[in-house]
Amino acid sequence: MCGIAGEIVTDQAGRPDLDAVERMTRTMWSRGPDGAGHWTEGRVALGHRRLSIIDLSDAGAQPMVDDELGLAVAFNGCIYNYEQLRDELSGRYRFTSTSDTEVILKAYDHWGERFVDHLVGMFAIAVADRRRDRVLLVRDRLGIKPLYVAEAHGRTRFASTLPALLAGGGVDTELDPAGLHHYLTWHSIVPGERTVLRGVRKLPPATIRVFEDGKAVRDHVYWQPSYTRRAEHADWTARDWRQAVREALRVSVRRRTVSDVEVGVLLSGGLDSSLLVALLAEQGQRPSTFSIGFTSRDGVEGDEFVYSDAIAREFRTDHHQIRIGDEEIAKAVEDTVGSMSEPMGSHDVTAFHLVCREVSKHVKVVQCGQGADEVFAGYRYHQPAADAARPQAAEVLREAFHDLEHDELARILEPRWLAGRDVSAELAANHLADPGADTALDAVLRTDTHLLMPDDPVKRVDNMAMAWGVEARVPFLDQDLVELVAACPPELKADQDGKGLLKDIGRELLPADVVDRKKGYFPVPALTRLDGEVLDLLRSTLNSPVARGRGVLRRDYLDELLADPNGRVTKAGGNELWHLGVLELWLQQHGIG
């Protein structure tokens, strides 16, 4: 786990700006506090910040160069099957380290661009093929590891965080109307390639981007599971599915214990994280576990310790219960926003930031339950999707997930920042209409998992964990597990008000009250109802000369929100003022005027 950065000169106009790459790399120090490195040759420069997890010696340092093969690599993430791949390749290649990074180099030399098909893990990879004058940028299948890209003046820069690109300079920081449309429509989610900035894009999940001298840049999508029923499962019963999914989960959890340091668990006390603890216990492990709670307010409970404590006792973990008072929240909000690669309006981002602060004092790696709701149909709007006809998928998602309709944005944004058409509805509808999904629920789950999720819970946990030099691993997003569950009959997933299949597995492993409890979220009561220091922070930010000079938000609408700060709630239960305040606070914290 770490941060990568680099530059590719695409018009042969000069050499890479190594100073810019070094600035980008320094900006990501928290992602890799254990070391830094840089390399340049020809038209390519690579930078790296290291968090030592596998092969803690200097032999695992990056950028890693293999002069015999003419290759260099900078890599962020973890290849869980690197030991098996090294065994497979050892008859052909000589290895000088025990790192997963070196396995990537040998795998690319052996399989070419298809090397990614052999990798099991989370990753953002930059490979410089010096012999072929080729550079590859690669992102993992579910977008767990981020990779941002900016192109200008014949140069392509890339980095693990958006602020790192800003530190390199030369980025067009004007706001992107389409990105703003997504942000306001989908409670701060800006999916796919876009960001809220015109000059910064993301490499999409499951994508290889190839730069070759004298040729157009090309993208290749290398993975997309089918959300259809398969002939080999035709005779499977619900029990067969339960056994297959439980085994796939067991394998996924075991894969994510690969490490030369201790691996803990973020334990909320919900079904998903509790299952991880139970499956680790099956393998004889008693991990360190971490739960966070806040002061209860206005009838909103601030913790779920009754459940997380029960799981910790049941499986005898080394448990850490973290209590946060309201007096810490305003400062924590500012620190959290400063750690965001992109503005994120979910209340639990602050909770993740604070829990990872504590985690960093004890372990470098944790497993967590992100992705289970998207993969196993755990959200409320999955129920109407289960009953809808296939052509109604877009209507169901729109009704449940769109905070605002296109026409409503005119009362929030000044005219110059309005997208000319409903770009958010178009993007979702096109994704939902693609072939390869049998039912409306299949289509919605595919869109949740492959379009929206990488820029919501996945980005949230990556940003907040890496702000403290912690690697977060997500077993529910194992590629084999996702492929298997995508083929599962959707009624098994939607059963029991959602996640029926997972609940049945939970009943085999967990106390019944943990499985059958009402679905919970990371509760942060001080952010649920805005007042006190947090409201003062938002008010001062949105009324600042910088915000007024930006001229993005309509002042009459903003004044209405500030006069009644808790009066407008989104479909997802968020606060409209909070979303706008986070956006403006993020822009100001990152120096975007």
Side-chain angles (χ1 to χ4, degrees):
M1 182 67 71
C2 50
I4 65 172
E7 180 177 289
I8 308 162
V9 178
T10 54
D11 66 357
Q12 303 299 321
R15 297 184 62 80
D17 185 345
L18 188 58
D19 288 340
V21 174
E22 289 176 347
R23 290 196 301 274
M24 292 192 289
T25 307
R26 281 197 300 272
T27 300
M28 298 184 292
W29 66 269
S30 72
R31 295 185 72 93
D34 296 332
H38 300 90
W39 171 87
T40 185
E41 182 177 292
R43 63 192 185 103
V44 183
L46 301 176
H48 185 263
R49 291 289 326 188
R50 186 181 187 195
L51 180 65
S52 301
I53 303 295
I54 294 173
D55 191 346
L56 310 185
S57 74
D58 290 343
Q62 298 184 48
M64 185 175 286
V65 180
D66 189 319
D67 288 321
E68 291 183 7
L69 300 179
L71 301 174
V73 67
F75 153 60
N76 168 28
C78 183
I79 308 303
Y80 301 125
N81 66 330
Y82 79 99
E83 292 176 315
Q84 294 89 339
L85 289 175
R86 187 175 62 200
D87 289 344
E88 182 177 352
L89 296 167
S90 60
R92 181 182 179 93
Y93 298 96
R94 178 178 62 89
F95 287 84
T96 60
S97 75
T98 59
S99 72
D100 50 348
T101 308
E102 187 175 13
V103 169
I104 292 173
L105 284 174
K106 270 56 172 184
Y108 169 75
D109 183 75
H110 186 60
W111 287 298
E113 292 181 27
R114 305 305 306 181
F115 81 109
V116 70
D117 296 334
H118 299 264
L119 305 182
V120 176
M122 55 181 184
F123 46 83
I125 303 170
V127 175
D129 185 338
R130 296 142 67 192
R131 293 178 178 174
R132 298 173 180 84
D133 198 9
R134 174 193 297 165
V135 180
L136 282 75
L137 302 182
V138 187
R139 194 171 176 200
D140 67 64
R141 292 166 179 81
L142 278 306
I144 302 166
K145 291 293 101 187
L147 193 58
Y148 293 87
V149 181
E151 299 178 2
H153 311 299
R155 297 170 185 268
T156 296
R157 288 180 181 162
F158 55 89
S160 295
T161 72
L162 191 156
L165 289 177
L166 299 180
V171 175
D172 179 0
T173 58
E174 184 168 313
L175 294 178
D176 180 355
L180 282 174
H181 198 289
H182 297 335
Y183 181 92
L184 294 172
T185 300
W186 289 324
H187 33 275
S188 81
I189 300 172
V190 183
E193 289 191 289
R194 291 190 182 275
T195 71
V196 294
L197 302 184
R198 191 186 300 272
V200 181
R201 293 289 184 264
K202 291 169 288 200
L203 185 70
T207 299
I208 300 175
R209 180 164 295 168
V210 182
F211 300 80
E212 292 182 283
D213 185 28
K215 298 181 181 179
V217 177
R218 57 182 170 88
D219 280 5
H220 168 62
V221 177
Y222 63 87
W223 183 79
Q224 174 58 64
S226 175
Y227 283 70
T228 62
R229 313 294 80 81
R230 302 175 192 168
E232 62 263 34
H233 303 140
D235 297 330
W236 280 25
T237 65
R239 183 173 181 272
D240 293 328
W241 278 106
R242 187 166 64 250
Q243 290 178 335
V245 171
R246 177 170 170 170
E247 178 58 27
L249 266 173
R250 185 182 292 115
V251 170
S252 176
V253 168
R254 184 172 63 248
R255 282 172 170 170
R256 284 155 183 80
T257 61
V258 170
S259 174
D260 292 336
V261 298
E262 182 186 353
V263 179
V265 177
L266 296 184
L267 176 61
S268 70
L271 171 65
D272 310 329
S273 60
S274 298
L275 270 172
L276 302 183
V277 174
L279 290 167
L280 285 167
E282 275 193 340
Q283 299 169 27
Q285 299 194 36
R286 301 287 184 266
S288 296
T289 52
F290 303 86
S291 303
I292 192 168
F294 300 87
T295 304
S296 299
R297 292 181 52 185
D298 302 317
V300 179
E301 290 295 324
D303 69 70
E304 298 177 336
F305 289 151
V306 64
Y307 299 107
S308 55
D309 287 354
I311 293 298
R313 287 193 302 269
E314 176 81 12
F315 297 102
R316 304 191 304 279
T317 71
D318 178 14
H319 191 54
H320 303 261
Q321 190 187 89
I322 306 152
R323 295 181 180 272
I324 302 294
D326 283 356
E327 69 279 359
E328 291 190 57
I329 297 298
K331 176 62 165 61
V333 165
E334 292 192 81
D335 293 343
T336 298
V337 173
S339 299
M340 295 176 182
S341 273
E342 299 175 68
M344 291 179 275
S346 175
H347 292 156
D348 64 5
V349 186
T350 301
F352 274 112
H353 191 267
L354 289 167
V355 74
C356 289
R357 180 182 69 181
E358 183 66 22
V359 168
S360 68
K361 301 174 185 177
H362 303 275
V363 298
K364 281 185 174 183
V365 183
V366 288
Q367 295 193 18
C368 55
Q370 270 55 47
D373 286 303
E374 288 83 357
V375 174
F376 286 93
Y379 292 129
R380 285 186 296 271
Y381 60 86
H382 292 147
Q383 298 307 303
D387 297 328
R390 178 65 177 87
Q392 294 177 303
E395 179 183 342
V396 169
L397 186 65
R398 182 173 191 144
E399 177 61 29
F401 205 78
H402 289 210
D403 288 337
L404 299 164
E405 295 301 323
H406 175 66
D407 293 343
E408 294 179 288
L409 296 182
R411 64 183 169 89
I412 300 175
L413 298 173
E414 292 289 353
R416 67 168 293 207
W417 300 108
L418 287 168
R421 64 186 195 279
D422 193 347
V423 292
S424 300
E426 288 179 11
L427 178 60
N430 290 338
H431 201 277
L432 289 160
D434 280 345
D438 280 348
T439 70
L441 182 55
D442 285 318
V444 168
L445 292 177
R446 181 180 62 184
T447 295
D448 275 347
T449 301
H450 302 278
L451 178 66
L452 299 172
M453 183 185 65
D455 287 288
D456 190 19
V458 164
K459 181 166 62 184
R460 192 184 317 159
V461 72
D462 171 82
N463 282 196
M464 296 306 107
M466 293 274 45
W468 299 101
V470 173
E471 174 174 305
R473 298 178 174 180
V474 280
F476 289 101
L477 299 183
D478 182 89
Q479 64 205 55
D480 295 330
L481 176 65
V482 170
E483 284 187 353
L484 175 66
V485 180
C488 177
E491 60 270 17
L492 295 181
K493 291 177 275 190
D495 191 25
Q496 304 173 52
D497 295 323
K499 292 202 288 196
L501 186 61
L502 208 57
K503 288 175 180 177
D504 285 340
I505 294 170
R507 290 190 183 92
E508 299 171 353
L509 298 169
L510 301 170
D513 56 347
V514 171
V515 178
D516 295 322
R517 57 173 288 201
K518 182 181 178 181
K519 179 176 174 57
Y521 298 89
F522 247 151
V524 189
L527 301 181
T528 301
R529 182 171 181 81
L530 298 175
D531 57 20
E533 291 185 43
V534 174
L535 179 57
D536 290 342
L537 172 64
L538 297 186
R539 196 184 302 277
S540 63
T541 299
L542 290 165
N543 282 328
S544 66
V546 173
R548 291 179 178 272
R550 199 184 305 284
V552 173
L553 303 175
R554 291 179 60 96
R555 289 309 308 183
D556 55 348
Y557 175 77
L558 203 52
D559 289 342
E560 287 181 18
L561 287 183
L562 291 168
D564 185 13
N566 298 291
R568 293 184 186 272
V569 178
T570 70
K571 288 180 183 177
N575 182 300
E576 286 192 24
L577 178 61
W578 172 255
H579 288 167
L580 297 178
V582 167
L583 173 62
E584 180 58 37
L585 189 59
W586 182 87
L587 292 169
Q588 291 187 25
Q589 284 214 18
H590 292 94
I592 299 169

